Amino acid sequence: MPEPAVRRLVVGAIITGDDGRVLAAQRSYPEQFAGLWEFPGAKVEPGESPEAALSREVWEELGCRIEIGDELTRDGGAWPVNERLELRVYHARLVTPPTAGHAHHTVAWFPAAELPTLAWLPADTAIARLLADTAV
């Protein structure tokens, strides 16, 4: 029996403002994802911690610094993306303000209750619903 494939790790940031709104970024590419919303982040490089990858990617994509907080887990672990990728997401807060950059058409703040109304990347849909369901 063949060994199951090891999934590559990707990370995402749930950046929440002081007013409780959540930052979402609208992809500008690749074509199949253009116009969809995501929590900022990307693939973890070999030898890189998830937190270091998240800080690096948020800086590269949005030109801002974040303070990383607790991980939001699914059943105590990562969120499956597909047969090749799994996602770990972390709560975060901004240290410096974001800009859209080259990877995104726009970045915007949304009340958590409105998150499910956005067209999300498939991997982020369940996270957006969970945030809306647990919003105070």
Side-chain angles (χ1 to χ4, degrees):
M1 181 176 270
E3 291 283 324
V6 175
R7 289 182 172 153
R8 184 162 181 194
L9 183 60
V10 294
V11 289
I14 302 166
I15 301 171
T16 306
D18 293 337
D19 61 0
R21 293 184 302 157
V22 178
L23 185 74
Q26 190 177 38
R27 295 288 312 176
S28 57
Y29 71 88
E31 186 177 330
Q32 72 266 29
F33 299 132
L36 297 179
W37 293 87
E38 71 174 349
F39 296 106
K43 294 176 183 167
V44 177
E45 298 298 331
E48 189 175 40
S49 73
E51 295 86 354
L54 191 54
S55 290
R56 172 184 53 77
E57 279 297 325
V58 168
W59 173 251
E60 289 174 6
E61 290 184 358
L62 302 178
C64 65
R65 300 285 182 207
I66 57 171
E67 183 178 282
I68 299 172
D70 294 334
E71 183 177 1
L72 177 65
T73 62
R74 178 183 181 270
D75 300 326
W79 302 74
V81 174
N82 57 37
E83 59 281 342
R84 294 183 339 255
L85 300 171
E86 66 181 11
L87 172 66
R88 291 177 63 182
V89 292
Y90 295 83
H91 291 280
R93 72 169 197 82
L94 287 177
V95 175
T96 60
T99 58
H102 69 282
H104 301 99
H105 289 298
T106 190
V107 294
W109 294 95
F110 297 93
E114 290 181 19
L115 294 176
T117 67
L118 301 175
W120 288 93
L121 288 175
D124 291 341
T125 302
I127 298 163
R129 275 195 225 114
L130 178 62
L131 293 172
D133 290 346
T134 58
V136 178

